[in-house]
């Protein structure tokens, strides 16, 4: 099984946080979250390789430094297209399964990812929705084209419907560490309130989680 992480161009990423984070902080936050995703996946049993799909050269170099395979994205056209393109590019590898993981999950852990990998040995489609059961944060497909990725608004119900329509065995996993993504300022506040260490802004992320390693 390979994992795929889609990463936007840093200057475009996390735009919904523009009201509360400066461009530099948003950029730092984007790389911090991306690094957490890649490192967690590298340490996940059952994941042989991590692939990052991006249109951005700086992100590509960053991902390579972390040991990820980089897949080129011609045009940034959203998460669903990025995953679909990655799966198409990986076709020659004849993978049995792929694990699609958003790059903006602050609590992401190998332990939680291993629960998904394990479930994907028993189900064609494993869906990990966000905490509102609106979007999808992680999707495992066996085989990789079991259903077409349909990330975007309300993707959880659409992934579920796609699995049913394709008569794929499927399950939903609610995992706190994967259900929490950072989209809007309220998510940062939620993270702060959850934190045992009350500090403002980015340090919250660093304090709440294990010590961050420095990006090369
Ligand atoms: N390669 C690629 N990755 C994307 C694209 N759009 C979003 N992503 C990534 O998909 C994951 C989830 O993205 P979103 O929750 O929409 O985050 P975002 O697009 O940075 O946030 P906003 O700018 O606020 O909409 C993150 O890892 C993003 O970097 C895209 O067009 N191409
Ligand atoms: O399917 C999804 O959940 C989207 O790719 C991401 O949605 P978000 O921007 O609400 O996280």
């Amino acid at each position: 099984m390979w994992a795929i992480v889609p990463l936007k161009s840093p200057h475009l990423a996390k735009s919904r946080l523009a009201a509360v984070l400066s461009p530099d902080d948003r950029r730092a936050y984007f790389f911090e979250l991306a690094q957490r995703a890649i490192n967690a996946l590298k340490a996940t049993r059952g994941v042989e390789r991590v692939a990052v799909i991006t249109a951005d050269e700086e992100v590509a170099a960053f991902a390579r430094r972390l040991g990820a395979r980089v897949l080129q994205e011609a045009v940034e056209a959203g998460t669903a297209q990025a995953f679909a393109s990655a799966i198409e590019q990986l076709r020659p590898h004849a993978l049995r399964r792929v694990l699609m993981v958003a790059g903006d999950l602050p609590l992401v852990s190998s332990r939680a990812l291993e629960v998904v990998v394990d479930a994907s040995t028993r189900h064609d489609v494993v869906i990990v929705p966000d905490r509102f059961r609106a979007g999808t944060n992680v999707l495992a497909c066996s085989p990789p084209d079991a259903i077409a990725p349909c990330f975007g608004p309300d993707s959880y119900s659409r992934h579920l419907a796609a699995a049913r329509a394709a008569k794929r065995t499927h399950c939903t996993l609610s995992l706190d560490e994967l259900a929490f993504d950072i989209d809007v300022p309220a998510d940062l506040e939620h993270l702060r309130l959850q934190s045992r260490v009350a500090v403002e802004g980015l340090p919250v992320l660093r304090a709440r989680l294990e010590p961050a390693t420095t990006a090369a």
Side-chain angles (χ1 to χ4, degrees):
M1 176 182 241
W2 281 40
I4 306 166
V5 181
L7 293 175
K8 230 170 161 177
S9 295
H11 66 285
L12 300 174
K14 294 292 137 226
S15 56
R16 284 170 285 175
L17 299 181
V20 293
L21 293 182
S22 70
D24 281 355
D25 280 353
R26 258 190 297 146
R27 184 189 147 81
Y29 203 30
F30 165 80
F31 278 111
E32 173 74 25
L33 291 170
Q35 179 163 334
R36 300 202 70 83
I38 294 168
N39 284 342
L41 283 164
K42 278 169 59 187
T44 299
R45 264 179 313 213
V47 171
E48 291 160 54
R49 200 76 223 258
V50 183
V52 164
I53 180 154
T54 187
D56 185 85
E57 271 312 308
E58 185 188 5
V59 173
F62 160 85
R64 282 192 199 98
R65 280 197 299 274
L66 292 176
R69 165 77 69 90
V70 172
L71 304 171
Q72 299 297 335
E73 182 182 29
V75 183
E76 264 176 32
T79 323
Q81 278 218 28
F83 281 126
S85 164
I87 288 168
E88 183 57 35
Q89 292 181 55
L90 293 176
R91 196 184 286 275
H93 292 270
L95 301 174
R96 285 172 60 191
R97 291 196 280 277
V98 293
L99 183 64
M100 294 169 246
V101 181
D104 60 353
L105 311 178
L107 307 178
V108 65
S109 75
S110 302
R111 186 185 59 174
L113 291 165
E114 279 164 13
V115 175
V116 184
V117 171
D118 184 53
S120 78
T121 65
R122 295 187 299 278
H123 301 277
D124 301 334
V125 177
V126 181
I127 313 169
V128 182
D130 65 26
R131 63 201 169 106
F132 307 110
R133 292 213 166 195
T136 305
N137 288 348
V138 177
L139 179 70
C141 285
S142 326
D145 60 356
I147 57 168
C150 32
F151 289 80
D154 296 320
S155 67
Y156 170 59
S157 55
R158 287 184 295 110
H159 283 134
L160 207 52
R164 286 184 184 131
K167 297 197 169 16
R168 299 289 187 180
T169 60
H170 57 276
C171 73
T172 295
L173 287 180
S174 296
L175 295 162
D176 286 349
E177 292 170 4
L178 302 178
F180 187 64
D181 59 339
I182 296 287
D183 288 328
V184 294
D187 297 326
L188 285 177
E189 179 62 9
H190 185 81
L191 193 62
R192 191 183 74 79
L193 292 174
Q194 272 201 344
S195 171
R196 273 173 258 124
V197 187
V199 239
E200 293 295 326
L202 281 181
V204 172
L205 180 73
R206 295 177 193 278
R208 171 66 181 81
L209 304 167
E210 304 145 32
T213 44
T214 314

